[in-house]
Amino acid sequence: MQEFKGRKGLILLFGATVLTLLASSLASAQVDTGAILGTIEDPSGAVVPGAQVTIIDNGTGLTVSTTTSSVGSYIFTPVKIGTYTVTAQATGFEKTSQSNIVVHVQAQVKVDLTLHPGRVTTTVQVTNAPPELQTQDASTGEVVSGRLVNNLPLISRNYTFLAQLSAGVTANATSGGGRFNATGGIVSNGLGAELNNYILDGVDNNDDEVDFLAGTAYVNLTPPDAIQEFKTQTSDFSAEFGRAGGAVINATTKSGTNHLHGDLWEYVQNDDLNAASWGSNRVSQAKTYSNENTFGFTIGGPVVLPHIYNGHNKTFFFGDFQEIRIDNHALDTSDVPTTPEVSSGYTNYQDQFGVTTTENDIDYLGREFNSNSILDPATTRPVTAGQVDPVTGLTAIQTGYVRDPFYTCGSITGMTNFTTSAAENCMNILPATRLDPNAIKLLQLFPAQNLPIALSAPGSNGTSSNYAVTRAEPDNTAHFDVRLDHNFSAVDQLFGRVSYDNRSAFYPGGLVGLASNAGFGDGYISNISLNSMLSETHT
């Protein structure tokens, strides 16, 4: 990722952020917010119409007011997640205020207040938080707050793993689940991972690649330190989530407040204190290790430019940066031509007779062979049951085709048992003139066998898993988020965010170069993603 330095770099970064935000399409659904609603009554239980109700965002100081309807009800929606204070007042009544009102993602917080007759200059302060039980909608879900995201242990600092705390949610266990499990993939109420819906600040954050080739079901992964909270909804959620049949993982990023805040972190996993694995010691390879270094920071607060602009209660910024550097060295074993095969010019394959087999083969002439015998394709011929084969003088027991082995000890006429030591000493020797020189060149691309028979795969006589090597598997990811919030007035609020993620990794096979045996998902990996959004709320 490009590194921005100095004042010019900051200007370029800010300009790029603004342009990206302006180019973003407007979100049509406010899925990253909540609501505050309730009823204002007097001590007798009668509703109070026309009462003034005000909510104050404790973090940014934003104040929004409304009046109760003819039935004494009020509603504020959409409301950004955060902590609020709600006040109510009406002519002839004391002013009433309730603090510690926490609004979560998609929550409809019911705050009913009672106004007591008295002077308006008197204020009744209620400090108890409203009940957590949500009776305003039927959706089922679990909110994970930013405090839990930061305090609970997380694999790879991936907040989506915490979705498994919700009822009905478990780690993905379907075909190919290994990749998903490593990246927080989940199934909800038995539905596949492809049916989940990942949302970040109200916009789509889903990986729509076939078979999730990136190894994840989401695109952009914000560090947990920058997550305000997220909610996992598993059933009966609103139709605005449309896409999902499984779970909705709805996350919101932190925003700036009137107070400058931030944090700095570094997590280190160093292999100097780890012992070598049994597998590495067994094949006399260097200790495999995994050094992981994760570092970053967050910072947020009001936009204050001395002598130019004071953004308290108006404009706020929040940004984060995280880099993950993983230096893995993994042991890999592969199959290469054996030492006898190479030294003979790829003509001697008698070591195949030492490979453990379950049973021998019997052909249509009744001849018995070790299943690892190499037969000469040039001798392929038909035989008919009950008739004598002119080559061997044997009577066929079935109709079909037969082949003769490569045999260097004379005639095979009349021979029926090729499994004796004497017979096998004359077999599996290929004529050098029958070998294609191009095939020989290809075989020479393989490295030399470096594991003896005792350390190769059991029962393979040194022909399988006979090459071991420890290779580096670097995996580095750089990520940043930039968010700007601005309150134009009590009825107009705007915020935008840009998230950038750049991952580069290399997962080699046991063999490299033209003989590489890297499998699906191996090799060089480069994933770059950009997620941006712009949201304007007008009441």
Side-chain angles (χ1 to χ4, degrees):
M1 185 182 72
Q2 182 178 1
E3 181 180 2
F4 294 91
K5 295 182 178 179
R7 182 183 302 174
K8 182 179 294 185
L10 291 174
I11 295 175
L12 290 174
L13 176 60
F14 180 78
T17 301
V18 172
L19 288 176
T20 304
L21 292 177
L22 293 176
S24 304
S25 58
L26 294 177
S28 60
Q30 299 298 322
V31 299
D32 59 327
T33 58
I36 299 176
L37 68 162
T39 304
I40 307 301
E41 301 176 341
D42 64 16
S44 68
V47 299
V48 182
Q52 183 181 23
V53 183
T54 302
I55 63 171
I56 303 172
D57 187 330
N58 295 346
T60 64
L62 175 67
T63 300
V64 182
S65 298
T66 188
T67 56
T68 57
S69 66
S70 59
V71 294
S73 64
Y74 72 93
I75 183 171
F76 293 94
T77 183
V79 174
K80 291 183 180 179
I81 64 172
T83 303
Y84 290 82
T85 298
V86 179
T87 63
Q89 60 185 7
T91 304
F93 294 91
E94 296 176 342
K95 183 178 180 180
T96 299
S97 173
Q98 179 162 348
S99 57
N100 301 321
I101 309 298
V102 180
V103 178
H104 296 296
V105 177
Q106 285 287 297
Q108 297 186 32
V109 183
K110 198 171 192 303
V111 182
D112 296 329
L113 296 178
T114 299
L115 296 182
H116 297 271
R119 293 178 299 174
V120 178
T121 55
T122 303
T123 301
V124 178
Q125 181 71 34
V126 181
T127 57
N128 293 334
E132 290 288 331
L133 181 63
Q134 293 287 309
T135 60
Q136 288 69 248
D137 68 75
S139 64
T140 302
E142 180 82 20
V143 173
V144 180
S145 67
R147 181 178 64 85
L148 290 178
V149 171
N150 278 304
N151 292 343
L152 291 176
L154 279 175
I155 299 176
S156 301
R157 290 176 45 78
N158 184 341
Y159 71 87
T160 66
F161 275 94
L162 297 179
Q164 298 176 32
L165 297 176
S166 301
V169 175
T170 186
N172 184 72
T174 58
S175 176
R179 286 186 295 150
F180 289 137
N181 287 338
T183 55
I186 61 171
V187 293
S188 172
N189 297 323
L191 297 173
E194 68 277 4
L195 297 177
N196 296 328
N197 188 5
Y198 290 84
I199 298 174
L200 185 62
D201 287 330
V203 299
D204 185 287
N205 191 30
N206 295 286
D207 184 356
D208 294 324
E209 293 179 277
V210 177
D211 190 37
F212 303 115
L213 296 179
T216 63
Y218 50 80
V219 174
N220 214 282
L221 184 65
T222 296
D225 306 81
I227 293 293
Q228 178 70 21
E229 68 178 37
F230 75 93
K231 184 175 184 180
T232 304
Q233 293 175 268
T234 54
S235 64
D236 293 332
F237 36 76
S238 171
E240 64 187 326
F241 294 109
R243 175 187 189 277
V248 177
I249 299 88
N250 193 355
T252 61
T253 58
K254 290 182 179 179
S255 62
T257 66
N258 278 322
H259 301 283
L260 187 67
H261 59 280
D263 52 13
L264 184 69
W265 65 86
E266 181 175 15
Y267 298 89
V268 177
Q269 175 184 318
N270 195 301
D271 203 69
D272 289 342
L273 301 179
N274 294 341
S277 67
W278 177 86
S280 296
N281 286 336
R282 173 181 175 271
V283 295
S284 301
Q285 286 292 306
K287 180 177 71 172
T288 60
Y289 65 92
S290 176
N291 289 338
E292 183 170 338
N293 185 259
T294 301
F295 57 91
F297 67 88
T298 68
I299 186 170
V303 175
V304 178
L305 303 177
H307 310 297
I308 299 177
Y309 180 74
N310 185 349
H312 284 87
N313 295 343
K314 283 291 185 180
T315 308
F316 310 91
F317 75 94
F318 183 87
D320 64 82
F321 173 82
Q322 176 174 275
E323 185 163 350
I324 302 175
R325 296 178 182 177
I326 301 176
D327 183 16
N328 281 344
H329 281 65
L331 176 67
D332 195 292
T333 57
S334 305
D335 302 341
V336 298
T338 65
T339 300
E341 293 167 0
V342 175
S343 61
S344 67
Y346 305 98
T347 61
N348 187 339
Y349 292 90
Q350 290 189 335
D351 50 14
Q352 294 290 331
F353 289 129
V355 177
T356 301
T357 58
T358 55
E359 60 183 15
N360 294 329
D361 296 330
I362 298 178
D363 71 358
Y364 293 158
L365 293 176
R367 300 181 297 180
E368 186 176 4
F369 296 95
N370 183 297
S371 59
N372 291 317
S373 300
I374 302 176
L375 305 180
D376 185 355
T379 63
T380 305
R381 61 189 181 279
V383 294
T384 304
Q387 295 186 10
V388 176
D389 172 40
V391 176
T392 63
L394 300 174
T395 301
I397 59 175
Q398 282 186 317
T399 299
Y401 287 85
V402 296
R403 285 179 178 174
D404 297 329
F406 287 101
Y407 194 78
T408 61
C409 296
S411 173
I412 60 171
T413 301
M415 288 184 61
T416 58
N417 187 359
F418 290 87
T419 63
T420 65
S421 297
E424 290 180 349
N425 286 335
C426 301
M427 297 168 57
N428 280 16
I429 303 295
L430 308 183
T433 57
R434 298 283 297 277
L435 301 182
D436 189 325
N438 295 311
I440 300 299
K441 289 289 186 182
L442 292 175
L443 288 171
Q444 290 172 348
L445 295 175
F446 289 99
Q449 174 183 354
N450 64 359
L451 293 182
I453 293 177
L455 297 181
S456 60
S460 71
N461 195 34
T463 63
S464 179
S465 297
N466 54 10
Y467 177 77
V469 65
T470 299
R471 298 212 183 274
E473 297 181 350
D475 192 338
N476 302 318
T477 302
H479 176 96
F480 73 79
D481 301 279
V482 177
R483 172 168 171 158
L484 296 175
D485 293 71
H486 182 71
N487 300 325
F488 290 101
S489 66
V491 296
D492 277 296
Q493 298 92 44
L494 176 76
F495 86 91
R497 174 189 49 78
V498 174
S499 298
Y500 175 83
D501 197 277
N502 187 340
R503 179 193 176 204
S504 61
F506 177 58
Y507 290 94
L511 310 177
V512 295
L514 295 178
S516 173
N517 61 342
F520 179 78
D522 292 338
Y524 290 98
I525 298 173
S526 178
N527 289 330
I528 298 176
S529 64
L530 181 68
N531 182 297
S532 60
M533 55 84 60
L534 184 67
S535 173
E536 197 274 342
T537 301
H538 176 79
T539 305

